[in-house]
Amino acid sequence: MPYWLFKSEPDCYGIQHLAAEPRQTTRWDGIRNYQARNLLRDQIAKDDTVLFYHSRCKAMGIVGTAKVVSGAYPDPLQFDSSSSYFDGKSCLETPRWFSVDIQLQEVFAQVISMQTIKYIQALDNMVLRKQSRLSVQPVTEQEFKILIQLKNSMH
DNA sequence: GCCAACGTTGGC
DNA sequence: GCCAACGTTGGC
């Protein structure tokens, strides 16, 4: 069961927004980067686990977990001309951008901060540390376990 | 809000 | 298909 990290700016859409959704479920849409698209379309599957990360804010870091509750499907916003995510070069037959649905699993009592993540040597190879701009990233099982242990050790 | 790093675009 | 110019992301 693979693990992923999804980034979001909490001013735009934070984990509290997810918690307030009906069934605490939302469509992860608006991803407009090919590397992230490839992961969504080809790798990410139902029942995978997502680390929810808050970027560009005061308390940067991992704030909770979610479950992938759908397979990948075309992001409807690419066909919506009123959306800022509209892509006129995409077409229904061969959609360019994809979404999955995620459901909130847990809101951590404390954020696993960027500083903490940087401090842990076993997390040196996290994609987050190397290729920080990718907004949908793979997380290894070992990295995931370390992060969960860390979360459980914080009060 | 700055700006380095990175991704995308388009002229050649 | 190279690469300069431009746009965007995200830590600081």
Side-chain angles (χ1 to χ4, degrees):
Chain A
M1 240 184 8
Y3 303 95
W4 310 96
L5 182 144
F6 285 12
K7 273 196 248 182
S8 195
E9 295 181 26
D11 289 346
C12 177
Y13 191 94
I15 200 160
Q16 287 77 15
H17 294 96
L18 180 57
E21 299 278 6
R23 302 188 324 283
Q24 302 192 319
T25 299
T26 195
R27 182 176 66 224
W28 207 251
D29 54 23
I31 301 296
R32 296 291 180 269
N33 167 283
Y34 286 103
Q35 225 180 319
R37 185 283 307 270
N38 292 345
L39 292 173
L40 281 170
R41 187 189 58 189
D42 308 330
Q43 306 282 136
I44 299 178
K46 194 164 180 284
D47 297 328
D48 287 356
T49 300
V50 170
L51 292 166
F52 201 104
Y53 179 89
H54 279 175
S55 66
R56 271 177 86 92
C57 60
K58 280 223 171 109
M60 264 188 306
I62 297 165
V63 294
T65 56
K67 271 272 178 237
V68 177
V69 293
S70 78
Y73 58 93
D75 180 348
L77 298 183
Q78 71 197 304
F79 306 120
D80 176 359
S81 58
S82 69
S83 167
S84 57
Y85 294 111
F86 176 70
D87 184 348
K89 291 177 186 163
S90 185
C91 63
L92 282 161
E93 292 73 27
T94 54
R96 184 178 286 189
W97 307 114
F98 286 80
S99 293
V100 294
D101 294 338
I102 63 167
Q103 180 168 39
L104 181 67
Q105 196 167 27
E106 181 184 359
V107 179
F108 294 165
Q110 240 182 298
V111 178
I112 305 176
S113 70
M114 192 61 182
Q115 296 100 296
T116 302
I117 293 165
K118 278 191 163 172
Y119 183 76
I120 312 262
Q121 214 170 358
L123 301 176
D124 282 351
N125 290 322
M126 274 192 81
V127 176
L128 189 66
R129 301 270 304 269
K130 315 201 132 185
Q131 212 183 334
S132 63
R133 290 184 53 179
L134 193 57
S135 66
V136 167
Q137 344 182 321
V139 174
T140 68
E141 186 174 5
Q142 196 197 5
E143 288 161 354
F144 182 80
K145 284 181 175 167
I146 289 166
L147 287 161
I148 294 304
Q149 267 175 31
L150 199 63
K151 185 266 295 179
N152 289 336
S153 71
M154 300 193 307
H155 346 71

